[in-house]
Amino acid sequence: MTSGIPELDVPGIEPLSLGQIALARGPQGAKLTAVVNDVKVRGPSNFIIQELKSDLDKNRFDFKLLLPQLDFAGKYKMDIQVLLLRLQGRGNITGSFKDYACNVTMRGHKEKRGEDEYLQFDPFRVKLRVGQSSIYLTNLFDGDPVLGPATNRVINENSQVFLQEISPVLERSLGELFTEMANKITSKFTYKQLFP
């Protein structure tokens, strides 16, 4: 899965690229805004299927995955305003998510091509359940030796705020990726070949 399946025209899934992630929190007097770009995620190909339920009459498949470790890296820009004090920073962001559980629902329908029927999947629904996480930002506040480490500590103690913002983007990206992979595979085989 890392490099794909060229003979089936299935792309590799690593690194998984995420779009821009924006975060804005707090009232006017104590506001935090952050933007994270160019995020690349490694590790989704190491998923473990823990449970699979299928209903062939409805072309529905539900499964539970475990993502043992997802490592990510990107660029961030942060602006913090606390009363009259304004702190800014930009640099690299890295981190990891461990032991993420993932519920995936696949629904499909039959499509007729010539005399044969093929299975085409609708967009997958993916829902993540959070495991452990760690996040590290470089060059916080122009490399301030006190504020930088203290802010990284606060970010990790409150990582759920960041995860609330990144989870929908990650769920959407994984759903699009899994849908594309499944449809490329099922387009090469008739329904009868897949489910004799």
Side-chain angles (χ1 to χ4, degrees):
M1 300 311 266
T2 303
S3 57
I5 310 169
E7 58 272 18
L8 295 178
D9 198 27
V10 175
I13 65 173
E14 294 205 21
L16 175 62
S17 295
L18 303 183
Q20 179 174 291
I21 301 162
L23 172 67
R25 288 281 191 265
Q28 197 60 34
K31 191 167 186 160
L32 161 72
T33 58
V35 176
V36 181
N37 289 303
D38 301 324
V39 178
K40 304 281 190 243
V41 181
R42 298 195 184 278
S45 63
N46 296 321
F47 65 85
I48 299 165
I49 298 176
Q50 295 183 309
E51 184 179 324
L52 171 64
K53 294 179 185 175
S54 64
D55 183 340
L56 290 179
D57 293 330
K58 295 180 180 177
N59 295 312
R60 178 180 169 140
F61 305 85
D62 294 289
F63 52 98
K64 292 182 180 177
L65 300 177
L66 176 67
L67 297 164
Q69 180 149 342
L70 297 175
D71 296 310
F72 68 92
K75 304 282 184 195
Y76 81 91
K77 182 178 175 184
M78 185 182 303
D79 190 349
I80 298 176
Q81 179 83 38
V82 181
L83 300 176
L84 299 176
L85 179 63
R86 185 171 186 186
L87 302 169
Q88 295 179 313
R90 64 175 60 219
N92 297 322
I93 180 170
T94 57
S96 64
F97 304 136
K98 293 181 181 173
D99 297 327
Y100 268 55
C102 185
N103 291 337
V104 180
T105 299
M106 301 167 54
R107 287 191 176 106
H109 58 276
K110 293 179 185 176
E111 284 188 352
K112 194 107 169 137
R113 280 192 251 150
E115 296 296 312
D116 295 315
E117 287 184 314
Y118 291 82
L119 179 62
Q120 176 74 27
F121 284 107
D122 302 325
F124 287 21
R125 287 186 312 158
V126 175
K127 188 68 182 158
L128 289 172
R129 291 187 313 277
V130 177
Q132 301 173 359
S133 64
S134 64
I135 302 166
Y136 181 76
L137 290 85
T138 64
N139 198 41
L140 276 167
F141 315 117
D142 295 323
D144 185 289
V146 176
L147 287 177
T151 303
N152 267 310
R153 191 169 46 255
V154 169
I155 287 170
N156 278 289
E157 288 169 359
N158 297 282
S159 61
Q160 295 296 57
V161 172
F162 179 74
L163 295 175
Q164 287 171 1
E165 301 299 325
I166 198 173
S167 286
V169 177
L170 189 55
E171 288 170 350
R172 186 172 55 250
S173 295
L174 287 170
E176 289 170 359
L177 181 70
F178 290 156
T179 303
E180 179 185 7
M181 287 174 52
N183 281 330
K184 291 218 178 207
I185 292 169
T186 59
S187 72
K188 306 289 189 215
F189 303 96
T190 67
Y191 193 88
K192 285 183 180 177
Q193 288 174 313
L194 291 171
F195 306 108

